Amino acid sequence: MKGRNLVFAGLFAFLIPGCGGGGGDAVTVTQPIVDANGGGIWVGQTTDDSQPGVTQDFVGVTTDSGEFRFLSLDTFGQFIGTFTVSGNAASGTGLGWAPIGFTWTDGSVLTSVSITATVTARQQFNGSWSTGSNESGTFTFAYSDTHQRTSSFAKLSANWFYTDGPYSITISIDQNGSVSGSDTDGCVYVGDASIPDASVNTYAFDVTVTSCGLFNGMYAGLAVLDDDAVQDDTLILSIDNGQVAIVLVMAR
């Protein structure tokens, strides 16, 4: 990556002996390949081939239905897309947002991205990434047990806050999953949270942003609850509209 250009900031035979008189030949039966579940919350690191020895800490959120969001909580760079799993081999495509204040090597802040990986369900998600801007690297993720926590609106509902210098945003989520909020730039946020699978700690969000200039639009994404001082006191939210991506790490 190069330059500074401020932007608004994401796999995964046995043998049956012949029977009957005369002793027939053994019959080889091939068991169907079982595709690994690719869903999870993952923590680990990414590398960039252009910067040997340099790593970034990342969080990955994936679903068994094939959505991935890889987020740098340091720079807010993101890889977001969809993937499929065949056996333990995963591949996917999507979009890559450069970190806040940076561009990709071709000067863009948004580029295409592809990933290939090996997934061990609920254990590891490791592979490589490449972009349309001719950058590439690797990622090594370990499964986080926080994924195994159940999800509910009772856990999610709260007033959530994020502050960075003079900027702040408040998002309120009620017991029905309704979302409303605003920030110090005058942007207004209205939408809904939903629970795709109550057995895991992942929430889906649909949010409309208004009164926000170029950032107006309809956004969708995923969120998880994490721990800081106490369990489930932190909301990690990643949403995008195909052009703009937003990462927020919010506290109750």
Side-chain angles (χ1 to χ4, degrees):
M1 302 169 192
K2 67 176 184 178
R4 278 197 167 269
N5 179 20
L6 188 61
V7 296
F8 193 79
L11 11 211
F12 329 11
F14 61 86
L15 299 179
I16 298 178
C19 57
D25 294 335
V27 177
T28 300
V29 178
T30 302
Q31 292 180 320
I33 296 174
V34 178
D35 299 335
N37 291 324
I41 298 173
W42 314 90
V43 293
Q45 296 181 323
T46 66
T47 69
D48 186 326
D49 292 338
S50 67
Q51 298 177 306
V54 177
T55 62
Q56 280 195 57
D57 292 330
F58 261 64
V59 171
V61 183
T62 59
T63 65
D64 286 337
S65 61
E67 184 175 353
F68 71 83
R69 288 177 175 261
F70 299 162
L71 322 170
S72 169
L73 300 183
D74 296 323
T75 67
F76 290 167
Q78 297 188 71
F79 292 146
I80 297 172
T82 58
F83 68 94
T84 57
V85 181
S86 178
N88 293 99
S91 61
T93 58
L95 296 172
W97 278 265
I100 292 177
F102 291 85
T103 67
W104 299 107
T105 54
D106 63 358
S108 66
V109 297
L110 179 61
T111 187
S112 61
V113 65
S114 61
I115 62 173
T116 58
T118 299
V119 58
T120 304
R122 308 317 194 236
Q123 294 185 46
Q124 293 183 321
F125 196 162
N126 303 327
S128 61
W129 58 270
S130 61
T131 70
S133 56
N134 294 318
E135 287 165 278
S136 60
T138 62
F139 56 89
T140 304
F141 295 155
Y143 182 70
S144 170
D145 289 342
T146 59
H147 181 248
Q148 298 174 357
R149 298 176 184 172
T150 59
S151 54
S152 70
F153 289 136
K155 293 181 179 181
L156 185 65
S157 60
N159 293 319
W160 298 95
F161 305 90
Y162 170 78
T163 300
D164 182 13
Y167 176 82
S168 66
I169 179 174
T170 301
I171 297 290
S172 298
I173 305 173
D174 70 16
Q175 291 280 347
N176 297 312
S178 294
V179 177
S180 61
S182 61
D183 65 19
T184 49
D185 290 337
C187 304
V188 176
Y189 305 83
V190 177
D192 294 285
S194 59
I195 300 174
D197 182 350
S199 69
V200 297
N201 173 24
T202 302
Y203 300 84
F205 276 70
D206 291 285
V207 178
T208 298
V209 180
T210 58
S211 302
C212 207
L214 295 175
F215 305 122
N216 287 343
M218 300 176 65
Y219 292 72
L222 300 174
V224 300
L225 293 177
D226 201 5
D227 308 338
D228 185 14
V230 297
Q231 183 171 307
D232 294 337
D233 67 348
T234 301
L235 178 69
I236 302 174
L237 173 65
S238 166
I239 55 176
D240 76 280
N241 66 0
Q243 295 297 319
V244 177
I246 302 170
V247 177
L248 292 171
V249 181
M250 310 185 77
R252 292 182 188 272

